[in-house]
Amino acid sequence: MGHSHKRYIITGGSGSGKTTLLNKLSEYGYKCFPEVSRVVIREQQQTGGDLLPWNNLEGFAEACFQRMKSQLEPVHRTNSFYDRGIPDIIAYLLNSNHPVSGYLWEYGRYYNPTVFICPPWKEIFRNDPQRPESFEESVEIYHYLNQVYLYLGCRLVRVPKIPVNERVRFIISKIDELESITG
């Protein structure tokens, strides 16, 4: 798995602006990967399946892992962005007191160790059919995400609560700084 340094995770609790940010990065021409969990939830809701985080978290986590793992298979020689990474699965499992399979921890190294984290942002938080959790639950998972990524040795960069175009400029400037240091 070469070029892991080009894979950047954008994480954070639900409703913190990740998807809007990824959509804007895509408009700027960056390769972006959508949030797998929302895709799985939507499919399960449409087909009457039970792989939903509120019904079968372990089965849901495995389905998300398989899809997220497949996102890592193509090698990207340019910066690419992921709406959540495999370590997010760990945080959600830990938050619900579910066991975490050892292999999940290994996948933290498939991404750049600099991870962009969007803090809880009550003013933009919205529920929808794929996001039934409360703002308070979003804040709780944000703390678990922080712990998991720090445990994995990642450098968390907090994305400021600013308009989306400014968020994009912030992220790109941080990556430019990082690349100028690492060459």
Side-chain angles (χ1 to χ4, degrees):
M1 285 285 184
H3 300 280
S4 62
H5 61 285
K6 299 287 188 182
R7 295 183 179 117
Y8 289 93
I9 294 171
I10 297 178
T11 191
S14 295
S16 58
K18 296 179 307 300
T19 301
T20 301
L21 181 51
L22 269 285
N23 290 341
K24 188 58 73 174
L25 282 161
S26 181
E27 287 177 23
Y28 278 72
Y30 291 97
K31 177 70 178 160
C32 295
F33 294 87
E35 184 177 354
V36 166
S37 57
R38 290 179 71 82
V39 173
V40 171
I41 291 169
R42 195 174 305 113
E43 289 173 359
Q44 291 296 304
Q45 289 173 332
Q46 289 170 351
T47 63
D50 79 332
L51 293 181
L52 297 165
W54 46 88
N55 289 347
N56 178 357
L57 182 60
E58 289 175 1
F60 173 76
E62 183 60 27
C64 288
F65 167 72
Q66 292 301 329
R67 293 207 191 176
M68 292 169 103
K69 187 172 106 174
S70 72
Q71 289 179 336
L72 298 173
E73 289 169 4
V75 172
H76 301 285
R77 300 190 186 286
T78 59
N79 292 330
S80 54
F81 296 92
Y82 296 78
D83 192 338
R84 299 195 179 281
I86 291 173
D88 286 53
I89 296 171
I90 297 168
Y92 275 86
L93 288 167
L94 291 173
N95 182 44
S96 298
N97 294 313
H98 280 78
V100 176
S101 298
Y103 62 86
L104 288 174
W105 293 100
E106 294 298 313
Y107 279 85
R109 65 186 169 85
Y110 286 88
Y111 303 93
N112 189 291
T114 297
V115 173
F116 295 96
I117 188 162
C118 297
W121 193 350
K122 192 166 185 77
E123 292 76 16
I124 67 169
F125 180 86
R126 299 286 178 273
N127 290 105
D128 63 36
Q130 289 81 47
R131 185 192 301 138
E133 61 262 55
S134 68
F135 179 73
E136 292 71 25
E137 290 167 317
S138 176
V139 170
E140 187 175 318
I141 196 64
Y142 172 80
H143 294 298
Y144 275 90
L145 291 163
N146 270 283
Q147 292 171 10
V148 166
Y149 280 103
L150 290 173
Y151 179 81
L152 288 170
C154 295
R155 173 180 170 251
L156 289 174
V157 176
R158 190 168 184 246
V159 179
K161 297 178 187 179
I162 53 180
V164 67
N165 284 328
E166 293 176 37
R167 283 181 139 195
V168 167
R169 285 193 289 279
F170 172 82
I171 286 174
I172 299 310
S173 73
K174 290 296 180 189
I175 290 172
D176 287 346
E177 285 174 26
L178 181 66
E179 289 177 350
S180 71
I181 295 168
T182 60

